[in-house]
């Protein structure tokens, strides 16, 4: 078991490196990986099932304990990231396919890797888990609606059809996983230690296979794709942090909201791009895996190096007052 744990730690700790290796193979020998692209849907559903298994009833009730932070974080995620994606696409003058892919990436729920980063950053993990859960369920309505509003004139899309696909691909597996955790706790107890490394391997597979399938387009537009995804990601971190400070969240909650805002569920975006749009729309999400995990881990390790108190509040111009009601300082 120790050997398995060591291997798992290597996979999760160096996940950005393994994603880059996968992308490199996809660029060098695309035929060896491109065949896995059609299976992305099933891999994403499996990932969401694993996410459900790691949840507990406390994660659901936790939403009611810190509603203000959850509301602010969800609002950040579904306003900052979609609008920022649209702005970056306009600024870089991306073509219709890449614009569609970047906006779609900005409109999906937060990724499970963000919870890991919040843990490493010594942020408010319950807030992060609750945010991920709320954004996942909200994506049924908000993802197709935002895509329709932002790029509905650019591409044809059936919002009800996309909503149904998100429900089947994302929400249903999470619910099944949560039910398994409740009714089969011993079975899930054996599974949970493997969730991290298995999820890492699955993420590498999704990103690499779909990158390989669209490698030709990447060869002609690779630099601009990387620049767009990086600007979108770092912009999300920056605005998420500033909004958290402005609304006087605690330091721990600020870290959670920042990371949950800037990191997206690239796997879901890949499958939706495959299903509804031009193949080139997959590429921003395919490269986002490595970029989001790398920048998130750098930010998390920087924050982890700073000593904070359990009840410390964000310092600076927007410091929370000691007499601030608890509901507004959760």
């Amino acid at each position: 078991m120790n050997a398995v744990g060591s291997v798992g730690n290597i996979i999760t700790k160096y996940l950005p490196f393994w994603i880059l290796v996968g992308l490199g193979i996809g660029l060098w020998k695309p035929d060896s990986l491109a065949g896995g692209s059609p299976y992305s849907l099933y891999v994403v559903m499996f990932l969401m099932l694993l996410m459900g298994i790691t949840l507990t009833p406390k994660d659901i009730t936790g939403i009611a304990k810190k509603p203000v932070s959850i509301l602010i974080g969800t609002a950040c995620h579904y306003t900052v990231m979609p609008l920022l994606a649209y702005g970056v696409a306009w600024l870089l003058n991306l073509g219709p396919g890449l614009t569609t892919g970047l906006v779609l990436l900005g409109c999906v729920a937060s990724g499970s890797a963000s919870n890991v980063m919040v843990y490493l950053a010594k942020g408010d993990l319950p807030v992060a888990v609750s945010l991920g859960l709320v954004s996942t369920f909200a994506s049924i309505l908000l993802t197709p609606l935002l895509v329709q509003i932002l790029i509905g004139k650019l591409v044809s899309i059936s919002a009800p059809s996309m909503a149904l696909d998100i429900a089947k691909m994302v929400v249903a597996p999470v619910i099944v996983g949560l039910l398994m955790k409740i009714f089969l706790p011993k079975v899930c107890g054996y599974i949970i230690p493997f969730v991290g490394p298995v999820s890492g391997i699955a993420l590498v597979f999704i990103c690499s296979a779909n990158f390989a399938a669209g490698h030709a387009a990447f060869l002609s537009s690779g630099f601009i794709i990387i620049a767009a995804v990086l600007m979108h990601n770092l912009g999300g971190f920056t605005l998420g942090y500033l909004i958290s400070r402005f609304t006087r969240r605690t330091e721990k909650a600020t870290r959670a909201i920042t990371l949950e805002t800037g990191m997206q569920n690239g796997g879901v975006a890949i499958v939706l791009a495959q299903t509804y749009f031009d193949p080139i729309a997959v590429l921003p999400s395919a490269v986002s895996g490595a970029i989001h995990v790398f920048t998130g881990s750098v930010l998390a390790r920087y924050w982890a190096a700073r000593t904070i108190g359990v009840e410390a509040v964000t310092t600076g111009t927007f410091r929370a007052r000691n007499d601030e009601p608890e509901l507004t300082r959760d």
Side-chain angles (χ1 to χ4, degrees), residues 210-233:
N210 287 279
F211 180 80
H215 76 284
F218 182 82
L219 288 174
S220 62
S221 308
F223 176 78
I224 201 71
I225 294 171
I226 293 173
V229 173
L230 188 59
M231 288 172 64
H232 182 234
N233 173 231

Side-chain angles (χ1 to χ4, degrees), residues 32-315:
S32 64
L33 295 177
S37 180
Y39 300 99
S40 298
L41 170 61
Y42 307 107
V43 177
V44 169
M45 292 179 71
F46 178 65
L47 281 171
M48 301 315 295
L49 176 70
L50 293 180
M51 175 183 172
I53 288 174
T54 63
L55 294 174
T56 67
K58 289 184 179 179
D59 295 324
I60 298 175
T61 58
I63 296 172
K65 294 181 179 179
K66 298 187 177 181
V68 179
S69 288
I70 303 303
L71 179 62
I72 291 171
T74 303
C76 280
H77 190 84
Y78 281 114
T79 55
V80 168
M81 296 308 280
L83 293 175
L84 192 58
Y86 188 85
V88 169
W90 175 82
L91 183 65
L92 297 181
N93 195 28
L94 301 182
L98 291 179
T99 295
T100 299
L102 189 64
V103 170
L104 179 61
L105 178 64
C107 292
V108 297
S110 60
S112 57
S114 57
N115 291 344
V116 178
M117 300 308 159
V118 173
Y119 171 77
L120 294 176
K122 298 181 180 178
D124 194 325
L125 189 57
V127 166
V129 173
S130 296
L131 272 175
L133 189 61
V134 170
S135 73
T136 297
F137 279 83
S139 67
I140 297 177
L141 173 64
L142 294 180
T143 296
L145 178 63
L146 289 168
V147 171
Q148 181 74 60
I149 291 172
L150 292 173
I151 55 174
K153 294 183 179 179
L154 188 64
V155 293
S156 176
I157 174 179
S158 171
S161 177
M162 180 179 285
L164 182 60
D165 282 343
I166 292 173
K168 292 188 294 186
M169 171 176 56
V170 178
V171 177
V174 170
I175 293 175
V176 171
L178 181 57
L179 291 175
M180 287 177 61
K181 182 66 172 294
I182 294 172
F183 295 106
L184 300 171
K186 290 186 178 180
V187 174
C188 293
Y190 289 113
I191 296 174
I192 287 176
F194 300 96
V195 167
V198 170
S199 298
I201 293 171
L203 182 60
V204 172
F205 171 81
I206 294 173
C207 293
S208 304
N210 287 279
F211 180 80
H215 76 284
F218 182 82
L219 288 174
S220 62
S221 308
F223 176 78
I224 201 71
I225 294 171
I226 293 173
V229 173
L230 188 59
M231 288 172 64
H232 182 234
N233 173 231
L234 296 180
F237 285 157
T238 302
L239 291 174
Y241 179 78
L242 291 175
I243 291 171
S244 296
R245 282 175 61 91
F246 182 78
T247 54
R248 298 182 291 191
R249 298 301 90 206
T250 64
E251 175 69 11
K252 283 176 172 283
T254 294
R255 297 179 183 191
I257 291 171
T258 300
L259 288 161
E260 291 290 333
T261 298
M263 299 182 69
Q264 304 292 92
N265 194 326
V268 171
I270 284 172
V271 175
L272 292 176
Q274 281 181 332
T275 305
Y276 291 96
F277 305 119
D278 188 278
I280 196 175
V282 170
L283 289 177
S285 298
V287 302
S288 72
I291 291 175
H292 287 189
V293 174
F294 175 75
T295 57
S297 62
V298 170
L299 180 57
R301 293 182 189 284
Y302 165 74
W303 268 332
R306 297 173 57 192
T307 302
I308 61 174
V310 175
E311 297 296 331
V313 295
T314 307
T315 58

Side-chain angles (χ1 to χ4, degrees), residues 23-34 212 215:
L23 298 182
I25 295 173
L27 196 62
W28 178 45
K29 296 285 187 180
D31 292 341
S32 64
L33 295 177
H215 76 284

